[in-house]
Amino acid sequence: IADRDRCIILLLVDTGLRASELCGIRIQDIDMTRNRIAIHHGKGDKDRFVQFGKRAAKAIWRYLTPRMPADPGDPFITVGPADDLRPMNRGQLRVQLVRIGQRAGVANVYPHRFRHTFAITYLRNGGDLFTLQSLLGHSDLDMVRRYARVAQTDCAKAHAKASPADNWRL
């Protein structure tokens, strides 16, 4: 279960997946060669790909390895041990994340918080709005602009603190 939980957290924070999208992934949707996951029937019944990084890839590998050889159509995130392939649902995911948060001493842990964290961090790290829109599966830029405003506020604060001219000791 620890490998599963680590995989869930890394995927949520590294991809911006919605809870229902994470719970709907099948093993065949994961492309470990290209580090991406095919999302079928996302919000608005749209399909898309989401990318994941090296840490998430390692977590996926650790979680899947004990389950091999699994049927490619099996659910990726399951409720019980490896021999119980019932897919986790959004409610179970939420409960599990709350438990993890409590054990870690982190308040207000819920699936959509990871999506917000992904979006803001993606922009803070130099990602662009149009790619973020595609990764999140938004049909327009309205929601993505909200994340951009938060990131811009961060930039203003950071510049005020680190302004080269203001920090000269003349």
Side-chain angles (χ1 to χ4, degrees):
I1 290 181
D3 286 339
R4 180 201 63 194
D5 292 349
R6 180 175 175 79
C7 185
I8 287 171
I9 290 169
L10 285 171
L11 277 177
L12 287 173
V13 80
D14 203 32
T15 63
L17 286 170
R18 294 175 178 94
S20 59
E21 293 169 341
L22 178 74
C23 294
I25 296 170
R26 300 282 177 193
I27 293 173
Q28 66 195 9
D29 298 331
I30 302 167
D31 182 344
M32 295 299 290
T33 305
R34 296 181 183 158
N35 282 17
R36 69 182 191 174
I37 300 171
I39 303 302
H40 303 289
H41 310 293
K43 190 172 182 178
D45 205 30
K46 291 180 259 176
D47 295 347
R48 72 181 193 284
F49 288 99
V50 294
Q51 300 296 139
F52 54 85
K54 293 174 186 171
R55 286 186 180 170
K58 186 176 179 179
I60 291 169
W61 188 254
R62 284 186 73 148
Y63 174 57
L64 279 181
T65 300
R67 294 174 50 189
M68 296 300 183
D71 183 316
D74 283 343
F76 173 55
I77 302 295
T78 58
V79 176
D83 60 343
D84 181 6
L85 294 177
R86 290 178 295 134
M88 181 178 280
N89 64 40
R90 288 176 24 197
Q92 292 163 328
L93 175 62
R94 184 178 183 89
V95 167
Q96 189 62 23
L97 289 174
V98 167
R99 285 183 190 146
I100 293 168
Q102 288 170 342
R103 286 194 311 262
V106 177
N108 300 317
V109 176
Y110 49 90
H112 213 72
R113 186 173 186 187
F114 287 93
R115 187 167 166 85
H116 293 295
T117 300
F118 164 77
I120 298 298
T121 307
Y122 181 85
L123 292 172
R124 284 176 180 162
N125 290 339
D128 68 276
L129 289 176
F130 296 108
T131 305
L132 179 61
Q133 176 188 359
S134 176
L135 291 171
L136 291 175
H138 289 299
S139 55
D140 58 53
L141 282 173
D142 289 342
M143 187 64 208
V144 179
R145 283 188 184 112
R146 292 181 194 176
Y147 296 127
R149 281 193 291 274
V150 172
Q152 285 300 319
T153 301
D154 291 344
C155 289
K157 288 178 184 175
H159 186 272
K161 181 179 178 184
S163 167
D166 290 349
N167 284 299
W168 281 343
R169 305 210 190 283
L170 299 176

